[in-house]
Amino acid sequence: MAINWLLLGGHQLQKREVITEQDVVKQDVITECYCANGHSILTDAGVFQGHPGLTLKLRSKTAEGILSISPVIGDTNRTFIDFERHPGEVVEICCPTCADPFPVYNACPCGAHLVALFTSPKAQFSKCIGICQRIGCLHSELLSERDLRLYSREKYF
């Protein structure tokens, strides 16, 4: 069995944790997700690995449609419904219920923005996940709250 080490910060010799293969298989799944007005965006419009997808309304200059994305952190599976996608196009990501755009969290290295999808009914940037507005961006998978903070603070982008 391969052993990987996760450094937990502080003195490296004192704070190490063994990461087993079982830990790698374990996936984080979003079980709650809301727009800024508190509408749940988890629906059965798309089902991924047995979990309801995050359903988003997309607006481009010429079209509107629906996008359902996997609630599994890091999974890039998605289903477009009544929307013709054009790789590289920047779209507005909105709530499918109230049609309000999701707020911008940070800039993406591709030049578009990461928008915040909230993991509690009360809109708090400390409890959000992010997704890029550019169709086909390498950063267009869900980024967890922790990853968003690390990217912002450490300037990984």
Side-chain angles (χ1 to χ4, degrees), residues 76-137:
T76 59
N77 287 324
R78 58 201 67 227
T79 302
F80 288 89
I81 303 166
D82 297 329
F83 188 80
E84 186 177 336
R85 65 179 180 235
H86 301 284
E89 180 178 28
V90 176
V91 296
E92 187 174 42
I93 301 174
C94 306
C95 173
T97 304
C98 65
D100 283 354
F102 285 91
V104 171
Y105 181 86
N106 204 347
C108 183
C110 76
H113 292 109
L114 292 172
V115 296
L117 312 176
F118 301 100
T119 56
S120 71
K122 186 176 179 186
Q124 299 175 8
F125 284 101
S126 62
K127 294 183 178 182
C128 71
I129 53 177
I131 184 169
C132 182
Q133 293 177 308
R134 187 177 306 276
I135 303 290
C137 173

Side-chain angles (χ1 to χ4, degrees), residues 3 6 11 23 25 55 61 65 91 113 118 128:
I3 296 178
L6 172 66
H11 192 275
D23 293 330
V25 173
T55 303
K61 293 178 182 176
V91 296
H113 292 109
F118 301 100
C128 71

Side-chain angles (χ1 to χ4, degrees), residues 18-53:
V18 176
I19 298 174
T20 64
E21 290 175 12
Q22 294 168 337
D23 293 330
V24 174
V25 173
K26 185 175 72 173
Q27 297 175 321
D28 289 327
V29 177
I30 297 161
T31 57
E32 293 184 76
C33 201
Y34 305 89
C35 77
N37 295 321
H39 300 117
S40 177
I41 60 171
L42 283 169
T43 72
D44 290 331
V47 177
F48 304 88
Q49 301 177 30
H51 302 286

